Amino acid sequence: MVPDDGALTAGVALIQPTAALPAITDAGTTIDGTTQTDNIGNNNAAVFGTGGTVGVDGLPLSQVNGPEVEIRDAGALPIGLHAQANNTTIRGLAMLGFGSTNGEGAIIIASGFTGALIEQNVIGSSATSFTDPGATLRNYAGFESVGGDSGTVQDNLFGFSHRGVFLTGGSDGWTVEGNEIVDHELGSADGDGIAISTGSDNNTIRGNLITGSSSQGFVVTSSVDNNFVNNTVTGNGVGSTTTVTQSAGITLQSTAQRVTIDRNLIYANYGAGIAINNNDSTHSVITRNSIYDNGSITARNGVSGPTGQIGIDLNGTGEDANLGTAPFYNINDAGDPDSGGNNLLNFPVLEYARTVSGNITFTGWSQPGATIEIYLANVDASEQAGFGEGKTWIRTFVEGSSDADASSSTYGPGAINGVVQGTDTTNRFSFTVPLSSLPATVNNGDQLVATATVGTAPTQDTSEFSGLVTVAAAEADLTLTKTANPDPAALDGSLLYFLSISNAGPQSATDVTVIDTLPASVTFQSATSTQGTCSGTATVTCDLDTILSGGSASIEILVVPNSLGTITNNATVSS
């Protein structure tokens, strides 16, 4: 406790070491700045942070009370607090000015130590104002574990450092939760919000707000089995005041594998929402996120405009791993043999999304057994025509399960719904569900996209977003069949054509018209229909009005053959 007898600065106990503080070497040590408040009262009434909620599920994001103890480097020191013991707790401090390279920063956990708890701190600014302290007082890392395990970093405010939170050197089993991570690396274009690297596995990053990073908001390098759940990632990849070098909101690189990216809000980042690089970064699952408006903002320099990058960018051979390569989308290929980020998995192709009688039917193509996630699409002005991002998840299906279409066929290579999406011979799907069962309202005219996830855990890959399909009311399905009697017919005898028109639905067919152009080798006698009217002689036109779903109509056309030889007669139906 520092007494309030003139020793406080603006109500804050200011500690300015000129030499390295002793390492924390006793297990169970707690350094708790909130005891200052408990003992002398609240002399710093500031409350920092955005608050509100994060992630698709709207997890609450706590604000942080202004600390009453500030540790500020006064001697170009590499480390503020260095934990070299198990079960260290650091709480309620403001810390700034420490470190200049990897392994240095405000709080460092040494290799081999477990159980650290870092909470309710303001890391990167003074205790009285959460603003950039300037270049000389920026931490290199706000928090870094260099091989520590099974700790928790929660409810902190990190800002203005080179990295906010860095798990490296085999740091396993951490939970990083409920933190606000803001404006990392204002001085260069290589600052990350949260970074996991070098064999740091089985970590959970949940419920954080990550914004303003000059490079990636979240990046995983050479690590496996990490989970990124219900975070908000926005405004990242914006570079420094002069340049941009890495632009995605989230990047998986250099053998980052088996990462789960689940129910995050990933929007308005300078580059792609998620980029998975072509360097054996595979088997990551991207599911139920809200991804939109990425590639649509201006960089921090105020000059570099929207990039047009996409929601999910799987990088292939020769593509720029830092900035992506236009046009960013990878269209599908036959047999899907290519390699790259998430093995450049083919996306599903949406053929139709039809509504009728309170239901919606989705049809298209996907790989066998694919998990297909369908989203209401976000389409901004920077998107490549015909593609979009998945903003609102509405349903997950599995090809072959409760699937009304067990067939297979070839799509492409021509355009589908106006956009070239590649070609493949693969399974078809058809799923019908009540519109009322969807978690969001879907109307005719809305646009949808989808992703596919293929494989068996833990070796699943998720695709990029598909091309767009527009929701529309289901149309009628008309079929025309024709028979002739007798066959063969006699010269100058009677020949009766019987035309049957049926509607398989699901909608009624209105203004149904049948046109039968008679060959010159027959002479017209009469035409009658079970509904509507027929007219004409050389060309017979029958206006049949409406045929209900499941209904039918028929036409009889009587002619007389006037020459020998084969008679060919064609008719068409339209509505």
Side-chain angles (χ1 to χ4, degrees), residues 78-149:
I79 296 174
L81 296 175
H82 196 181
Q84 300 176 10
N86 294 330
N87 303 317
T88 299
T89 297
I90 299 173
R91 178 186 300 120
L93 305 176
M95 299 185 68
L96 66 162
F98 296 97
S100 60
T101 190
N102 289 339
E104 299 179 356
I107 301 172
I108 305 295
I109 307 298
S111 178
F113 297 103
T114 65
L117 173 61
I118 313 300
E119 63 180 358
Q120 300 171 23
N121 300 286
V122 175
I123 307 296
S125 78
S126 72
T128 57
S129 177
F130 188 67
T131 55
D132 176 27
T136 60
L137 284 175
R138 293 174 188 151
N139 297 314
Y140 192 80
F143 168 85
E144 182 171 340
S145 170
V146 191
D149 296 323

Side-chain angles (χ1 to χ4, degrees), residues 305-556:
T307 63
Q309 293 186 60
I310 59 179
I312 302 171
D313 189 0
L314 306 183
N315 299 150
T317 301
E319 293 187 29
D320 190 323
N322 295 319
L323 301 173
T325 299
F328 307 114
Y329 286 97
N330 294 284
I331 65 172
N332 292 345
D333 51 352
D336 202 13
D338 46 1
S339 61
N342 261 11
N343 291 304
L344 295 189
L345 180 71
N346 281 355
F347 52 75
V349 173
L350 296 175
E351 181 184 29
Y352 298 119
R354 300 297 197 205
T355 60
V356 62
S357 303
N359 293 324
I360 185 167
T361 297
F362 308 95
T363 65
W365 295 265
S366 76
Q367 292 194 23
T371 297
I372 303 163
E373 292 191 350
I374 298 179
Y375 297 81
L376 282 165
N378 164 249
V379 183
D380 60 59
S382 68
E383 297 284 354
Q384 180 183 339
F387 287 91
E389 302 174 70
K391 184 174 183 179
T392 306
W393 170 84
I394 59 171
R395 195 76 175 202
T396 298
F397 300 101
V398 177
E399 190 283 325
S401 177
S402 301
D403 183 351
D405 192 340
S407 68
S408 61
S409 65
T410 299
Y411 62 82
I416 301 166
N417 296 318
V419 60
V420 173
Q421 302 184 50
T423 185
D424 195 13
T425 299
T426 190
N427 286 11
R428 290 188 57 84
F429 61 79
S430 177
F431 302 105
T432 299
V433 295
L435 283 162
S436 60
S437 71
L438 304 179
T441 300
V442 176
N443 297 307
N444 291 336
D446 287 342
Q447 293 182 296
L448 308 177
V449 293
T451 61
T453 298
V454 172
T456 303
T459 57
Q460 299 167 286
D461 293 302
T462 299
S463 70
E464 296 178 349
F465 287 114
S466 70
L468 296 163
V469 67
T470 300
V471 179
E475 299 174 350
D477 183 6
L478 292 173
T479 302
L480 185 153
T481 59
K482 178 189 286 186
T483 59
N485 185 38
D487 186 9
L491 180 66
D492 296 326
S494 295
L495 172 61
L496 183 66
Y497 291 118
F498 182 82
L499 290 73
S500 176
I501 303 92
S502 60
N503 178 12
Q507 293 290 83
S508 296
T510 60
D511 299 322
V512 178
T513 300
V514 174
I515 298 175
D516 191 337
T517 302
L518 298 176
S521 57
V522 301
T523 301
F524 173 80
Q525 300 296 306
S526 65
T528 59
S529 59
T530 57
Q531 64 183 62
T533 61
C534 296
S535 61
T537 56
T539 298
V540 178
T541 300
C542 296
D543 297 317
L544 303 181
D545 300 324
T546 298
I547 300 178
L548 300 177
S549 175
S552 63
S554 61
I555 302 167
E556 290 184 349

Side-chain angles (χ1 to χ4, degrees), residues 38-421:
D38 295 339
N39 285 295
I40 68 168
N42 186 1
N43 289 316
N44 183 7
V47 177
F48 300 127
T50 302
T53 62
V54 293
V56 168
D57 289 342
L59 302 186
L61 180 68
S62 299
Q63 294 179 294
V64 180
N65 292 325
E68 298 194 54
V69 177
E70 177 181 318
I71 304 177
R72 178 188 299 227
D73 174 34
L77 303 177
I79 296 174
L81 296 175
H82 196 181
Q84 300 176 10
N86 294 330
N87 303 317
T88 299
T89 297
I90 299 173
R91 178 186 300 120
L93 305 176
M95 299 185 68
L96 66 162
F98 296 97
S100 60
T101 190
N102 289 339
E104 299 179 356
I107 301 172
I108 305 295
I109 307 298
S111 178
F113 297 103
T114 65
L117 173 61
I118 313 300
E119 63 180 358
Q120 300 171 23
N121 300 286
V122 175
I123 307 296
S125 78
S126 72
T128 57
S129 177
F130 188 67
T131 55
D132 176 27
T136 60
L137 284 175
R138 293 174 188 151
N139 297 314
Y140 192 80
F143 168 85
E144 182 171 340
S145 170
V146 191
D149 296 323
S150 304
T152 300
V153 180
Q154 65 184 18
D155 302 332
N156 301 282
L157 193 55
F158 292 95
F160 321 112
S161 307
H162 179 71
R163 291 191 183 94
V165 175
F166 189 24
L167 305 178
T168 189
S171 295
D172 301 335
W174 284 84
T175 298
V176 179
E177 183 171 30
N179 304 282
E180 184 170 347
I181 299 172
V182 178
D183 287 350
H184 281 89
E185 194 51 274
L186 298 174
S188 81
D190 189 30
D192 306 318
I194 299 177
I196 298 176
S197 80
T198 320
S200 297
D201 307 331
N202 294 294
N203 299 292
T204 297
I205 314 300
R206 180 175 54 233
N208 303 281
L209 170 61
I210 309 171
T211 184
S213 305
S214 66
S215 186
Q216 300 102 160
F218 175 61
V219 57
V220 181
T221 306
S222 303
S223 301
V224 301
D225 296 323
N226 289 288
N227 300 296
F228 191 75
V229 182
N230 262 316
N231 303 278
T232 293
V233 181
T234 183
N236 299 285
V238 292
S240 68
T241 55
T242 59
T243 188
V244 177
T245 60
Q246 295 175 307
S247 61
I250 297 171
T251 298
L252 310 182
Q253 62 185 13
S254 301
T255 67
Q257 296 185 341
R258 303 199 301 267
V259 180
T260 298
I261 301 174
D262 179 11
R263 285 168 292 158
N264 302 282
L265 292 175
I266 305 167
Y267 69 95
N269 296 286
Y270 183 65
I274 302 169
I276 304 182
N277 291 170
N278 174 38
N279 44 26
D280 203 25
S281 293
T282 57
H283 304 324
S284 288
V285 173
I286 303 168
T287 178
R288 294 177 295 172
N289 301 281
S290 177
I291 303 177
Y292 60 98
D293 285 347
N294 295 287
S296 68
I297 67 171
T298 300
R300 180 171 276 135
N301 60 24
V303 175
S304 302
T307 63
Q309 293 186 60
I310 59 179
I312 302 171
D313 189 0
L314 306 183
N315 299 150
T317 301
E319 293 187 29
D320 190 323
N322 295 319
L323 301 173
T325 299
F328 307 114
Y329 286 97
N330 294 284
I331 65 172
N332 292 345
D333 51 352
D336 202 13
D338 46 1
S339 61
N342 261 11
N343 291 304
L344 295 189
L345 180 71
N346 281 355
F347 52 75
V349 173
L350 296 175
E351 181 184 29
Y352 298 119
R354 300 297 197 205
T355 60
V356 62
S357 303
N359 293 324
I360 185 167
T361 297
F362 308 95
T363 65
W365 295 265
S366 76
Q367 292 194 23
T371 297
I372 303 163
E373 292 191 350
I374 298 179
Y375 297 81
L376 282 165
N378 164 249
V379 183
D380 60 59
S382 68
E383 297 284 354
Q384 180 183 339
F387 287 91
E389 302 174 70
K391 184 174 183 179
T392 306
W393 170 84
I394 59 171
R395 195 76 175 202
T396 298
F397 300 101
V398 177
E399 190 283 325
S401 177
S402 301
D403 183 351
D405 192 340
S407 68
S408 61
S409 65
T410 299
Y411 62 82
I416 301 166
N417 296 318
V419 60
V420 173
Q421 302 184 50

